[in-house]
Amino acid sequence: MKTTSTTTAPLSRLLAVTAVSLLTLTGCATEAAPAVTERAPAGDTVTIEDAWVKSADEGMSAAFGMLVNSGDVDVTVVSVSSDASSMLELHETVENEAGEMVMREIEGGFVIPAGGELLLEPGANHIMLMDLTAPLHAGDEAAFTLTFSDDTTYEFTAPVKDYSGANENYEEGDDHEGMDH
């Protein structure tokens, strides 16, 4: 038995050292390799709340609402399309050198902050519909598709409402000079 005890003790110690070494190496490997997280497509993280479109018989109109980004990175809306208009632009309203409020296409699109919101409202950021394909009457609905910088999309429908405000002009030199909205 003495021989067995002598052989068992070093073998037990060897197994214990091996087990501790393996646990240590496993722990190091877990710490050294950070978890890879995939970024959710912008089209899956953005929604719109309280969307609506200004009624118009012809010419131009605009769409408004609250764009909400539930993701953990900023997203950029780079374009918009709709069957309601043959020409759409992402617009901002700013004060020009003469102190007048004017609309202009926003360079680079709308950025919606991570976990945040971007308000589209009359007299500020909005979706501009030019060259309407048909009258937009109160009670109608208009469908839109937003395209993001990652090439994903988000579709929404907005009711048409009567609204008499938001009569800014385009910035001088713009292709749409003199058009009211």
Side-chain angles (χ1 to χ4, degrees):
M1 274 205 183
K2 190 171 183 177
T3 307
T4 307
S5 296
T6 307
T7 308
T8 306
L11 184 59
S12 295
R13 275 185 253 159
L14 179 62
L15 287 173
V17 169
T18 304
V20 169
S21 296
L22 288 173
L23 287 173
T24 303
L25 289 174
T26 303
C28 289
T30 303
E31 290 175 26
V36 176
T37 57
E38 282 192 35
R39 185 178 296 177
D44 291 348
T45 65
V46 173
T47 57
I48 192 163
E49 297 175 357
D50 303 321
W52 63 281
V53 179
K54 180 181 174 184
S55 64
D57 288 327
E58 61 182 6
M60 299 170 46
S61 182
F64 311 102
M66 177 72 74
L67 291 170
V68 179
N69 177 4
S70 64
D72 57 1
V73 295
D74 294 353
V75 297
T76 304
V77 179
V78 294
S79 66
V80 61
S81 61
S82 174
D83 289 340
S85 173
S86 64
M87 183 176 177
L88 291 98
E89 292 179 353
L90 305 172
H91 275 200
E92 63 182 348
T93 304
V94 296
E95 189 173 331
N96 67 11
E97 292 176 9
E100 301 168 324
M101 296 306 289
V102 294
M103 294 181 297
R104 66 178 179 203
E105 187 170 12
I106 191 164
E107 300 264 342
F110 293 139
V111 176
I112 310 166
E117 304 168 335
L118 176 71
L119 182 61
L120 304 178
E121 65 180 339
N125 292 330
H126 58 277
I127 298 170
M128 192 73 205
L129 291 82
M130 298 167 281
D131 193 26
L132 295 176
T133 56
L136 293 171
H137 297 120
D140 291 346
E141 289 190 336
F144 295 87
T145 301
L146 301 178
T147 301
F148 301 96
S149 58
D150 67 359
D151 291 326
T152 61
T153 60
Y154 170 69
E155 296 179 357
F156 69 94
T157 302
V160 177
K161 298 181 179 183
D162 285 330
Y163 183 75
S164 61
N167 292 315
E168 300 87 1
N169 289 315
Y170 278 94
E171 188 169 36
E172 193 168 320
D174 196 308
D175 293 340
H176 315 290
E177 188 177 331
M179 295 180 136
D180 288 334
H181 124 51

